[in-house]
Amino acid sequence: MITNAFLTVLRRNSPHLHTSHKNSTKISLNCNRLGTSFKRFQFHSLIEKKEGKEKKMGRKSRQSDPFGVGSEFDRKVEELFESKEEKKEKEEIRRKKEMSNNDPNSVTIKVPEGNFAERLDKSLPFLYPSVSRTLCQKLVKEGKILVNGMEPKLSTKVKGGDSIRISIDPLHQNHPLSQGNNESNTIDLDNTSVNFVEEGSREEGENVGVYPKWMNGVDLVGEDMPSLVFIHEDEHLAVINKPPGLMVHPSPGHLNGTLVNGLLAKYGKLSMLSGPERPGIVHRLDRDTAGIMVIARTDEAYESLKKQFQERTMVKKYAAVVCGRPQGWNSSESVMIDKAICRHPSDINKMVIATQTSKLSSASSMGKEARTEYKVEKVWNLPKKETFSLLDIQIHTGRTHQIRVHMSSMGTPIVGDPIYCKKHSKHQVDFLLLASKYLEFEHPISHEKMKFSIPLPDHILQYMERLNSSEIVDE
């Protein structure tokens, strides 16, 4: 006897068949022609189990899904009704998966815990910069990317804890395996992050001391960088003026052209306590942020400088040109912004004020303490009611994008900020107008107070000249 479950499957897969009990003989004949007679299914016990579950689930469940979505029976029945083309396509997908799993040149990326869900084609270029969004689309189309062992779509959401496996040509630029490592590579991004403190850096914390797997077989090489300006040098540390557009340290996909490569060319050896991919780095600035940084040449210097950052005894001051006039623009007194910051629930590239997360996501977060103090030094009023301000900023904590998020939260984003300023392209600047201009700390060995300041970088001065020449009113 043909059961209701079987009739349902036939209706779904072969709508041309008349699937009433009265026509059961006709159904059997049609099934025999297809080589799929009911006897050949051999699923009698499975059908009884499913029908029993339907009764327990209730009438509504039977109407919405009388057989059970994704069941083994469903899959096998659909396989019997598949065309040769569909079977061939499935076999090709299976073959690609096997090739990917066995590919010695594949790279497996483990998404850091805590990352909010984001589209694959948006998150992968951020997690693994050597794969652009265009290349990601190509690899997905070719079946060379697996998410948790399954072939994804571009719109597939990846989140913290997921595993992304990429089969990519080892000769591809900056591929870790191009350095001579013949073993399958796993990039555990939870284990590659060393926590630093500074505007635009990772959060405060201790060195985790884990050798990142993407560094296997990779030797960082020195590169001459004439653009690097050394403000102070001794046998324990160095103070430099980082130009805008320069990444501080290598990362998966970016092994060359960083500040670390320039430092290795000059000194050869630096403190390795911050990790093999970040020799000498105690804190960092965003790629487009210019200004003063201190470098640890010895382990003793690194430990002392790290402690000063963590205890917040370092004095760190910045200059920024922002859109609009922030609170306190007509006062000589400074203003303190005390707003906790956390990661954006859906955009892994952004941070937000913690109180905003309840509006953006069902999962709210208390965030981490972030305190920014600023004073308005100059205001420009343009003829078309546009206003810009020059700020003197001191940060009392070191959170990711702290200054940028705090300024944006007040409706006065930093000029040229591609993440937090919606009209950044209108400003026609190469880099955001933010610079680290002053750094004060205690020398790790001599305990002498060290104070360093620099003039504003050229790209900020040039924009200020543009404002000055626009027939504006200076207040």
Side-chain angles (χ1 to χ4, degrees):
M1 179 178 177
I2 297 178
T3 66
N4 289 332
F6 182 58
L7 292 174
T8 301
V9 175
L10 287 180
R11 289 190 189 101
R12 184 193 309 168
N13 294 280
S14 300
H16 60 282
L17 296 179
H18 301 286
T19 53
S20 67
H21 283 287
K22 294 180 180 179
N23 295 312
S24 59
T25 304
K26 187 174 182 179
I27 293 172
S28 298
L29 289 173
N30 278 282
C31 287
N32 284 324
R33 289 172 188 168
L34 293 170
T36 58
S37 66
F38 185 66
K39 291 181 181 180
R40 294 184 59 188
F41 283 103
Q42 299 177 359
F43 302 143
H44 302 293
S45 60
L46 184 59
I47 292 171
E48 290 173 1
K49 287 181 182 178
K50 286 296 176 184
E51 290 184 334
K53 285 184 179 180
E54 285 177 1
K55 291 178 182 179
K56 291 181 181 180
M57 292 168 66
R59 181 180 177 184
K60 185 176 180 180
S61 176
R62 290 198 300 272
Q63 289 177 344
S64 60
D65 188 5
F67 188 62
V69 175
S71 68
E72 183 70 8
F73 181 83
D74 200 3
R75 182 183 67 78
K76 291 186 178 180
V77 170
E78 288 181 354
E79 282 181 359
L80 291 172
F81 285 95
E82 281 177 353
S83 65
K84 290 183 178 180
E85 291 75 13
E86 289 173 330
K87 288 182 178 179
K88 186 176 180 181
E89 184 179 349
K90 278 194 173 182
E91 179 61 26
E92 180 66 16
I93 292 174
R94 186 192 63 77
R95 186 184 64 81
K96 286 180 179 179
K97 286 183 180 179
E98 286 185 356
M99 288 177 63
S100 177
N101 288 331
N102 299 325
D103 186 0
N105 295 326
S106 65
V107 175
T108 299
I109 299 171
K110 293 185 178 179
V111 183
E113 292 291 345
N115 270 30
F116 291 95
E118 180 62 286
R119 284 174 58 105
L120 174 65
D121 57 343
K122 285 186 177 181
S123 59
L124 184 56
F126 174 77
L127 297 168
Y128 190 58
S130 66
V131 176
S132 65
R133 193 165 183 176
T134 301
L135 179 58
C136 176
Q137 293 170 351
K138 181 175 181 289
L139 293 174
V140 168
K141 187 176 180 180
E142 294 175 353
K144 293 184 177 180
I145 293 181
L146 299 179
V147 176
N148 299 328
M150 304 295 291
E151 198 163 276
K153 298 178 181 178
L154 291 172
S155 59
T156 297
K157 297 290 184 71
V158 294
K159 59 186 182 302
D162 285 347
S163 175
I164 306 174
R165 190 178 182 89
I166 309 170
S167 293
I168 187 170
D169 185 351
L171 298 180
H172 184 269
Q173 65 169 11
N174 297 328
H175 189 289
L177 301 180
S178 65
Q179 305 294 329
N181 178 24
N182 293 322
E183 298 180 1
S184 181
N185 217 16
T186 298
I187 302 172
D188 188 344
L189 296 177
D190 272 328
N191 290 339
T192 62
S193 62
V194 178
N195 292 325
F196 300 105
V197 283
E198 191 53 271
E199 162 60 24
S201 75
R202 306 193 189 280
E203 313 302 341
E204 297 179 3
E206 295 185 359
N207 178 11
V208 295
V210 177
Y211 192 94
K213 295 181 181 179
W214 65 267
M215 282 289 293
N216 289 339
V218 175
D219 293 322
L220 298 181
V221 296
E223 299 176 33
D224 290 329
M225 292 186 179
S227 61
L228 277 184
V229 177
F230 291 83
I231 303 171
H232 170 84
E233 297 176 84
D234 62 45
E235 59 181 320
H236 300 286
L237 59 84
V239 178
I240 62 111
N241 183 1
K242 184 186 88 71
L246 179 65
M247 290 186 65
V248 171
H249 56 74
S251 61
H254 291 275
L255 302 180
N256 304 307
T258 69
L259 172 61
V260 163
N261 297 110
L263 294 172
L264 289 174
K266 183 171 179 65
Y267 297 120
K269 185 179 180 181
L270 298 163
S271 171
M272 299 297 290
L273 293 182
S274 56
E277 78 281 26
R278 298 176 172 96
I281 302 302
V282 186
H283 65 125
R284 73 172 187 132
L285 300 175
D286 286 338
R287 180 182 61 186
D288 290 344
T289 301
I292 299 177
M293 288 183 64
V294 59
I295 307 299
R297 297 185 61 182
T298 64
D299 291 348
E300 188 176 2
Y302 174 84
E303 292 289 2
S304 174
L305 292 170
K306 183 183 73 172
K307 183 178 180 181
Q308 291 182 60
F309 272 111
Q310 291 176 339
E311 294 179 349
R312 301 176 184 174
T313 58
M314 286 259 187
V315 179
K316 301 157 285 184
K317 294 184 179 181
Y318 294 76
V321 178
V322 301
C323 304
R325 294 184 298 193
Q327 177 186 347
W329 66 271
N330 56 352
S331 172
S332 59
E333 296 183 358
S334 61
V335 177
M336 179 70 76
I337 305 174
D338 190 351
K339 297 179 180 180
I341 291 175
C342 65
R343 192 163 294 281
H344 193 286
S346 60
D347 189 339
I348 60 177
N349 297 318
K350 293 181 68 174
M351 306 295 289
V352 293
I353 302 301
T355 54
Q356 296 175 346
T357 55
S358 59
K359 300 177 183 179
L360 299 170
S361 171
S362 58
S364 61
S365 172
M366 295 299 293
K368 294 187 177 181
E369 178 193 14
R371 299 172 66 238
T372 302
E373 184 179 1
Y374 71 88
K375 183 185 292 185
V376 179
E377 291 194 336
K378 188 179 181 68
V379 174
W380 292 273
N381 292 320
L382 274 63
K384 294 183 179 180
K385 296 184 179 180
E386 283 188 299
T387 308
F388 297 88
S389 302
L390 174 64
L391 306 184
D392 177 32
I393 301 171
Q394 180 175 349
I395 59 174
H396 299 278
T397 55
R399 305 303 182 197
T400 302
H401 294 179
Q402 178 174 317
I403 295 176
R404 299 164 68 178
V405 174
H406 276 170
M407 291 298 108
S408 177
S409 72
M410 298 182 66
T412 55
I414 297 175
V415 173
D417 191 331
I419 298 178
Y420 301 100
C421 182
K422 294 180 180 179
K423 299 181 180 180
H424 68 91
S425 58
K426 177 184 176 182
H427 300 141
Q428 298 180 350
V429 292
D430 295 329
F431 312 104
L432 75 159
L433 304 189
L434 175 66
S436 170
K437 66 175 185 177
Y438 181 86
L439 189 62
E440 179 181 328
F441 59 90
E442 182 183 280
H443 193 281
I445 310 303
S446 67
H447 304 293
E448 175 189 358
K449 275 289 181 183
M450 311 286 287
K451 300 179 181 180
F452 301 96
S453 62
I454 58 170
L456 295 181
D458 290 341
H459 67 290
I460 295 182
L461 292 174
Q462 290 168 6
Y463 194 81
M464 291 170 61
E465 288 177 5
R466 285 167 54 186
L467 296 176
N468 287 327
S469 63
S470 299
E471 294 185 1
I472 54 181
V473 177
D474 184 12
E475 296 190 12

